[in-house]
Amino acid sequence: MNAGGDIQVVVFGLGQEEFALPVTTVREILDHRTAYRVPHAPDWFLGLTDVRGTSVPMVDLRVRLGMAPAEATLTTRVLVIDMPGTDGAPLALGLVVDRVLDVATFPADAIEGSPALGDRWRSQQIEAILRRGADFVALLDPVRLFGADGVEAALGDLGLAA
């Protein structure tokens, strides 16, 4: 969030739900591509893909959030994000989402704290709830979503360097 309290986000859909990530974490948005599968990977880890000459781990965000997986469609996209790795170096991830809706700025008065959400999603994965008229958008925090070393630990377990 900036000094004025407004936040600019990339809004995307998973099923009927809308989520967002801060634009500062999204490096680029790509058309869906098939990942190189890695044996014995967690169900949310789709494999690796090449992004401009770099191997990037791809994550099925639906599965990571406890939703059922879905087949890719013409609207399926990959959000390439940068998040801090455990060694301080940025870690690039490709998050597979059903569709990208828009880039939006939410004013400070449309931003609410993360509520207790019960079993559907763990509230620690959600940084805030953004109000869009009568609808809501859940602002995700990649570090909270994957844990401080969740992706790196999974890659290490598979014998892959992050």
Side-chain angles (χ1 to χ4, degrees):
M1 290 184 233
N2 68 24
D6 296 353
I7 185 169
Q8 190 174 30
V9 298
V10 175
V11 181
F12 57 91
L14 296 173
Q16 299 301 312
E17 310 298 334
E18 291 185 7
F19 297 89
L21 287 167
V23 293
T24 55
T25 63
V26 179
R27 183 190 322 163
E28 57 189 308
I29 301 170
L30 305 172
D31 289 337
H32 182 264
R33 54 186 64 189
T34 303
Y36 171 77
R37 296 291 301 171
V38 177
H40 309 294
D43 57 351
W44 51 265
F45 181 70
L46 296 173
L48 300 171
T49 191
D50 178 76
V51 177
R52 304 187 199 297
T54 302
S55 297
V56 174
M58 281 182 49
V59 172
D60 185 333
L61 195 53
R62 292 176 63 93
V63 174
R64 185 63 180 171
L65 288 171
M67 301 170 82
E71 292 294 321
T73 68
L74 292 175
T75 62
T76 303
R77 297 290 180 263
V78 178
L79 299 177
V80 179
I81 67 166
D82 289 317
M83 59 180 274
T86 55
D87 63 358
L91 173 65
L93 289 177
L95 305 180
V96 177
V97 301
D98 294 348
R99 65 201 171 282
V100 173
L101 301 169
D102 62 359
V103 174
T105 301
F106 288 84
D109 63 355
I111 304 169
E112 299 178 4
S114 177
L117 299 173
D119 292 338
R120 180 107 188 232
W121 298 295
R122 296 184 313 243
S123 62
Q124 66 264 28
Q125 296 172 330
I126 296 176
E127 184 173 339
I129 296 296
L130 310 174
R131 285 189 164 271
R132 185 192 298 232
D135 296 324
F136 299 96
V137 177
L139 178 64
L140 298 176
D141 180 333
V143 173
R144 292 180 190 175
L145 183 62
F146 297 104
D149 59 65
V151 172
E152 288 177 306
L155 293 174
D157 291 345
L158 296 170
L160 302 171

